[in-house]
Amino acid sequence: MFNILIVEDEIKITQVIKAYLDKEGYHCIVANNGEQALEFFLKNSIDLIILDRMLPDISGEEICEKVRKISKVHIIMLTAKTEDSDKIDGFNIGCDDYVCKPFNVKELVLRVKAVFRKMDVENKDLLKFSDELEIDMNSHEVKVRGKKVELTNTEYKILLLFAKNQNKVFTREQLLELTIEEHYEKIDRVIDAHVKNLRQKIELDTKKATIIKTVYGVGYKFGL
């Protein structure tokens, strides 16, 4: 279930938006001012923010800028300002979409659905395990605890194999066949060397590995 933060000080508009999104099966959290919005954002896992530009305490622009410093969450901004320059300003500060008031709530719902369809496509190519490990299968980029790490092609193959098979224990022979292409390297201790190098790049403590664990007498398994 996707979590949506609705930030709008006009209660009736908030109620209508929430009712339509609730009907679509989304979980909505409502904030009626900027301070509350930032508090709720920090305390919850939010997938999308519907953000009114004109709020009584903190402007939508300021909220957008604060959120953008820490998150790439999708932001749809609601505004009564319809000039092109206003829209450009909104995009420049980090909003992803713009809906001008008055608006058709059904159109807003369609825009929300489009955001989550895009996220579903993107997430199919992204393996993420909490904040510990993230593997982008399109770019082959690997992040460990939020920091990018550089892996060799073989190290990447080994890590990806484990991440895709979280409950499987692999023997050294299986890892050789599935990740090593060079025929002259087909000796099982080669895998130990690759795993050792990989652990040095991704583990906090290589002696107490938590991402790639040793299964004594058998081989290795994924630990997350």
Side-chain angles (χ1 to χ4, degrees), residues 55-70:
L55 294 167
D57 55 348
I58 306 173
S59 70
E61 290 98 331
E62 188 176 346
I63 293 171
C64 190
E65 289 174 339
K66 288 179 180 293
V67 168
R68 275 292 167 261
K69 289 180 180 178
I70 58 174

Side-chain angles (χ1 to χ4, degrees), residues 135-156:
I135 304 173
D136 188 326
M137 292 183 286
N138 275 330
S139 64
H140 285 205
E141 184 177 277
V142 175
K143 291 183 179 179
V144 180
R145 293 173 288 279
K147 295 183 178 180
K148 185 178 178 181
V149 296
E150 298 293 337
L151 303 181
T152 67
N153 186 47
T154 300
E155 290 165 356
Y156 174 80

